[in-house]
């Protein structure tokens, strides 16, 4: 990749950053919490590029950023409790996890295949101007390489991701400096998934008691779908590294497909792991719904580049369902 552009957070810099985002490029941008690694969230390839640039060994679901609550609520269901929180905290360091609406514009890969989507409106003038100019949801995990600390200056982003992304919009150091609080509203009672810039006390003042994930995990606690599972798993058993396939199995193919499957979804005919990442969750969902098959057989996928994250996700999908490690 060519040199990463360092853009000033003025009108010209913001226009340039927005144009790069719309073209599917990655742009680091400051928010009040930490610098985000921005990508057009509606563009599956741009989202795949985020995981590649970060060197993430796993597909974690990403937070989508919007210039205002109304734009966010086009993509996710917004029950009254979400509207109250948005009213009280947005723009600000609170991320809400809500059910994706039918027709949600955000790529399934950005939700790591889940039926929920994390959304936020940041309290930062340059970030809001960028989001308005981009005119679409912007996925933005922290702009650091996987395993490194979150960046709070443009220089941090350059040090970690320079040469791997198109540009960084330099809006100075971050005011809050810790990540946003992540609150899951997709189940019954709100669950605090990650502490952050918005305090539990302030949230509880608006919506009443909030649970911690440990309490929700406790033995015998009711389990709401999508609340605890931080990954998508198909309901059919998954068989990995398939060299043959039976007529009563569905096949998740990578490269020239094996003969004889009851149903086939091609991840990438050319054997391209980036294309396969883009199609992974759609493929698992399609085969899960195929009908007339008892399992999903998955052809071997190389553990290079995004193949690492694909294999991680498939291993979790194939693990016994009572294995807690597979749910993490
Ligand atoms: P980062 O990518 O560094 O900004 O971190 C995003 C955080 O939000 C991670 O802790 C994710 O697990 C969490 N998150 C994002 N989307 C979801 C979702 N749909 N369900 C649960 N947690 C989510
Ligand atoms: Mg992070």
């Amino acid at each position: 990749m060519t040199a990463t552009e360092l853009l000033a957070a003025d009108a010209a810099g913001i226009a340039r950053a927005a144009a790069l985002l719309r073209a599917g490029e990655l742009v680091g941008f400051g928010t009040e919490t930490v610098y985000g690694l921005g990508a057009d969230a509606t563009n599956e390839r741009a989202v795949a590029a985020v995981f590649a640039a970060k060197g993430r060994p796993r597909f974690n679901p990403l937070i989508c950023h919007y210039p205002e609550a109304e734009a966010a609520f086009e993509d996710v269901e917004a029950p009254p409790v979400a509207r109250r929180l948005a009213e009280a905290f947005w723009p600000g360091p609170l991320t809400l996890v809500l059910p994706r609406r039918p027709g949600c514009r955000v790529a399934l890969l950005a939700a790591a295949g889940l039926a929920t989507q994390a959304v936020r409106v940041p309290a930062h003038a340059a970030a809001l101007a960028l989001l308005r100019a981009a005119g679409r949801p912007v996925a933005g995990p922290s702009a650091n390489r996987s395993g490194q600390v979150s960046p709070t200056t443009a220089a941090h982003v350059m040090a970690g991701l320079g040469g791997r992304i198109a540009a960084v919009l330099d809006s100075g150091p971050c005011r809050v400096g810790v990540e946003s609080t992540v609150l899951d509203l997709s189940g019954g009672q709100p669950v605090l998934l990650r502490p952050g810039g918005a305090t539990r006390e302030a949230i509880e003042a608006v919506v009443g008691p909030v649970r911690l994930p440990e309490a929700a995990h406790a033995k015998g606690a009711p389990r709401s779908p999508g609340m605890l599972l931080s990954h998508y798993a198909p309901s059919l058993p998954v068989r990995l590294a398939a060299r043959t396939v039976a007529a009563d199995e569905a096949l998740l193919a990578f490269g020239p497909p094996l003969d004889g499957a009851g149903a086939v979804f091609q991840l990438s005919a050319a054997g391209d792991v980036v294309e396969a990442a883009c199609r992974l969750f759609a493929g698992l969902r399609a085969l899960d719904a195929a009908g007339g098959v008892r399992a999903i057989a998955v052809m071997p996928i190389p553990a290079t580049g995004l193949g690492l994250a694909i294999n991680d996700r498939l291993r979790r999908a194939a693990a016994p369902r009572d294995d807690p490690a597979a749910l993490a």
Side-chain angles (χ1 to χ4, degrees), residues 65-83:
H65 296 75
Y66 297 83
E68 73 244 328
E70 291 67 42
F73 295 157
E74 285 176 31
D75 288 328
V76 292
E77 308 280 359
V81 59
R83 291 185 183 275

Side-chain angles (χ1 to χ4, degrees), residues 26-307:
L26 305 185
V27 177
F29 67 103
T31 74
E32 82 279 30
T33 58
V34 301
Y35 270 72
L37 179 53
D40 176 353
T42 68
N43 178 338
E44 209 95 37
R45 282 205 165 250
V47 174
V50 165
F51 291 105
K54 283 182 68 84
R56 266 197 185 168
R58 297 166 61 169
F59 293 123
N60 300 345
L62 304 179
I63 297 169
C64 270
H65 296 75
Y66 297 83
E68 73 244 328
E70 291 67 42
F73 295 157
E74 285 176 31
D75 288 328
V76 292
E77 308 280 359
V81 59
R83 291 185 183 275
R84 282 208 303 281
L85 285 164
E87 183 76 21
F89 287 93
W90 285 355
L94 177 64
T95 293
L96 301 178
V97 174
L98 289 161
R100 287 164 63 101
R101 286 179 63 177
C104 176
R105 295 167 292 175
V106 179
L108 199 49
L109 186 61
L114 297 172
T116 55
Q117 183 64 55
V119 297
R120 178 167 104 85
V121 177
H124 190 286
L128 292 173
L130 175 65
L131 294 169
R132 257 181 236 115
R136 61 198 65 187
V138 172
S142 52
N144 52 279
R145 292 276 293 167
S146 181
Q148 296 178 350
V149 296
S150 296
T152 54
T153 66
H156 294 162
V157 181
M158 277 292 188
L161 295 173
R164 297 179 154 265
I165 62 178
V168 180
L169 186 65
D170 183 359
S171 52
C174 302
R175 181 169 56 78
V176 176
V178 296
E179 282 92 346
S180 62
T181 301
V182 179
L183 189 69
D184 186 351
L185 297 177
S186 68
Q189 197 181 348
V191 179
L192 190 74
L193 294 180
R194 177 176 77 182
T199 65
R200 180 181 183 179
E201 291 75 12
I203 294 168
E204 290 189 328
V206 176
V207 295
V210 159
R211 279 200 293 179
L212 297 177
E214 300 82 68
H217 264 300
K219 256 202 154 51
R223 169 166 288 190
S224 306
M227 194 168 77
L228 302 172
L229 294 176
S230 62
H231 80 290
Y232 167 76
S235 55
L236 287 176
V238 173
R239 183 166 71 81
L240 300 179
R243 303 276 175 190
T244 60
V245 65
D248 60 355
E249 287 183 311
L251 180 70
L252 196 60
F254 182 82
L258 301 170
D259 283 334
V264 177
F265 186 99
Q266 179 59 265
L267 286 176
S268 172
D272 170 10
V273 287
V274 176
E275 183 182 25
C278 292
R279 293 170 58 75
L280 175 64
F281 294 109
L284 287 171
R285 282 177 185 273
L287 294 181
D288 212 22
V293 291
R294 60 167 174 82
I296 299 173
V298 184
M299 290 175 63
I301 295 167
T304 52
L306 283 179

